[in-house]
Amino acid sequence: KTIPLSSWEKLEDNLTNSEAGLKWLSSERGIGPGTAQRLHLGYVQNLGNLAGPDGADIADKGWVAFPSVEGDKVVSVKYRSIVRKKPGGFARQPGMATALFNTETISSFDPVFVVEGEIDCLTLEQAGFHSISVPSAGTKLTPDMKDTLMLAECVILAGDTDPTGSAYLEKLLNELGERTYLLKWP
């Protein structure tokens, strides 16, 4: 299932008009409205049953929507509660693909930084670096996802340094091979 990007504009407008959503992005995450707009972030006040049992108590308290855009279509949507991360602070739109976030930033003339998390991706993009996010540290990249990453001049793996993240980055380094580098954060 996909959503035409033109239909997604309603959720983008929701974020533009949401004081709570913009405040969370800015004060809690350091993300400005220009970056949110450029990456098509949206906002949903009430996620309903998509919040699941762990998020039922916060389902109506506001959610930022992170779309994975391919061409003129949204192919995947991940939601993040503005109230809390865990438990129940994440949800995915059912029936959609598992996709990389922000692939439209990839350029054959520039490196791309690969992170695990949309907020990390937004932070790097806002600082002027091309960045994409994998869906999670457990995601096995498809051949198409790998091909998309390798369109960049080079790939810099810059994900989390916890044990799970480090193991995942080492695995990606071996899978992607040529023109792929592992950034070791201090």
Side-chain angles (χ1 to χ4, degrees), residues 36-57:
Q37 184 178 25
R38 189 165 44 88
L39 275 72
H40 302 285
L41 270 58
Y43 186 79
V44 176
Q45 183 61 45
N46 190 338
L47 205 56
N49 292 335
L50 282 182
D54 289 340
D57 62 320

Side-chain angles (χ1 to χ4, degrees), residues 133-146:
S133 174
V134 295
S136 71
T139 302
K140 182 171 174 44
L141 297 186
T142 66
D144 285 343
M145 289 175 174
K146 291 176 187 176

Side-chain angles (χ1 to χ4, degrees), residues 9-23 25 33-34 36-38 40-44:
E9 288 175 6
K10 178 183 179 205
L11 275 78
E12 291 182 67
D13 290 343
N14 288 350
L15 180 59
T16 300
N17 296 316
S18 169
E19 186 178 323
L22 290 173
K23 181 180 177 189
L25 281 169
Q37 184 178 25
R38 189 165 44 88
H40 302 285
L41 270 58
Y43 186 79
V44 176

